């Protein structure tokens, strides 16, 4: 595993606090965020909306997505909808919002072009699946071996544990972001987290790398290993 491991009581609270501390409060530097999907992410965004709703200069923030299911943006399974319902609908308008559109030709390449035309994203938020995936980088999936120059690719879970065709950042896409915050909460993630900590090559999240990677994990996910 690369980066810093921080064990916290409440990953959603810690996630929101880190971002609020570094998000522009007034004429501060522009910030850009790439959002994740999943229930942990939803908790993080609800907390971000309640803790940073008013104090953050959201009009200086650009929103991106680190992965998306290839469904309509208003589909209950859409990561855009998850972020919109838990955060964007509760705060002031952002400077720009870039949903991952799967209904356009060459969707992955189109999103990659948008990314390349913008400055590297300041913060990407990732989760950890019980199978060791992150974003939509699933075990044994083709996206794990995407060419280094690709930032976004289409992908599916060949083992069938995760629904829908996906669009996902590649490892290069993740590494291009200035900071990566991975949030891991609950006992159900303990086995996957330990595989990551052990550098298990079959856990895609173990290969997350970049300039500044922060793993925010709670005691339940960490388990008795905390002392080691
Ligand atoms: C997705 C997410 C995915 C998620 C993990 C953790 O589109 O499903 O991006 O990578 O972050 O599966 O999800 P939970 O927090 O719900 O366990």
């Amino acid at each position: 595993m690369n980066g810093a491991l921080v064990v916290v009581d409440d990953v959603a609270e810690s996630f929101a606090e880190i971002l609020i501390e570094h998000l522009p409060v007034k004429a501060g530097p522009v910030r850009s965020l790439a959002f994740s999907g999943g229930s942990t992410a939803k908790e993080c965004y609800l907390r971000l909306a309640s803790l940073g709703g008013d104090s953050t200069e959201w009009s200086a923030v650009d929103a991106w997505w680190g992965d998306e299911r290839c469904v309509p943006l208003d589909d209950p399974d859409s990561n855009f909808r998850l972020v919109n319902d838990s955060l964007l609908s509760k705060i002031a308008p952002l400077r720009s919002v870039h949903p991952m559109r799967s209904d356009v030709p060459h969707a992955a390449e189109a999103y990659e072009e948008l990314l390349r035309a913008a400055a590297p994203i300041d913060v990407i938020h990732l989760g950890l699946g019980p199978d060791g995936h992150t974003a939509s980088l699933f075990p044994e999936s083709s996206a794990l071996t995407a060419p280094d120059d690709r930032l976004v690719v289409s992908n599916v879970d060949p083992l069938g544990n995760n629904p829908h065709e996906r669009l996902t950042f590649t490892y290069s896409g993740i590494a291009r972001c200035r900071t990566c915050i991975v949030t891991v909460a609950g006992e159900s993630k303990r086995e996957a987290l330990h595989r990551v900590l052990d550098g298990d090559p079959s856990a895609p999240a173990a290969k997350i790398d970049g300039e500044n990677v922060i793993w925010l994990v709670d005691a339940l996910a960490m388990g008795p290993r905390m002392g080691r």
Side-chain angles (χ1 to χ4, degrees):
M1 180 198 104
N2 305 296
L5 177 75
V6 183
V7 182
V8 296
D9 293 335
D10 181 330
V11 294
E13 190 90 4
S14 300
F15 173 84
E17 284 167 354
I18 288 174
L19 277 189
I20 288 155
E21 200 178 309
H22 297 290
L23 285 168
V25 283
K26 283 299 164 220
V30 170
R31 280 287 180 269
S32 48
L33 301 171
F35 291 107
S36 173
S39 56
T40 309
K42 180 176 177 182
E43 268 313 300
C44 291
Y45 305 150
L46 287 168
R47 205 70 57 87
L48 184 55
S50 66
L51 291 180
D54 303 332
S55 62
T56 300
E57 192 68 44
W58 292 107
S59 61
V61 178
D62 300 316
W64 302 83
W65 272 256
D67 74 319
E68 183 55 281
R69 291 88 180 278
C70 295
V71 295
L73 295 182
D74 60 357
D75 187 289
D77 284 351
S78 158
N79 288 344
F80 169 80
R81 176 164 168 180
L82 179 143
V83 178
N84 194 51
D85 290 353
S86 56
L87 176 65
L88 303 185
S89 58
K90 301 172 189 290
I91 58 176
L94 272 63
R95 185 172 81 158
S96 68
V97 177
H98 304 281
M100 274 186 161
R101 302 294 303 262
S102 57
D103 57 350
V104 298
H106 310 296
E109 293 80 354
Y111 204 77
E112 189 169 302
E113 242 176 81
L114 277 177
L115 282 171
R116 289 191 191 286
I121 291 170
D122 279 333
V123 176
I124 183 168
H125 177 210
L126 296 174
L128 176 66
D131 59 358
H133 84 259
T134 191
S136 290
L137 297 171
F138 303 118
E140 301 179 36
S141 68
S142 59
L144 302 183
T145 53
D148 289 345
D149 63 349
R150 293 301 307 276
L151 304 180
V152 180
V153 293
S154 302
N155 204 31
V156 292
D157 177 354
L159 305 180
N161 296 320
N162 297 277
H164 306 300
E165 190 174 327
R166 306 289 184 101
L167 295 172
T168 184
F169 272 36
T170 60
Y171 289 119
S172 299
I174 293 169
R176 185 173 182 264
C177 301
R178 294 201 173 99
T179 293
C180 171
I181 301 178
V182 193
T183 51
V184 187
E187 191 169 351
S188 68
K189 301 297 175 69
R190 187 175 302 177
E191 193 265 336
L193 178 61
H194 288 184
R195 287 171 60 208
V196 167
L197 295 175
D198 294 339
D200 179 347
S202 69
K207 296 195 186 84
I208 292 170
D209 204 355
E211 196 179 320
N212 181 24
V213 180
I214 303 167
W215 287 75
L216 287 180
V217 308
D218 70 5
L220 274 175
M222 196 62 197
R225 178 174 177 145
M226 281 175 77
R228 287 169 45 185

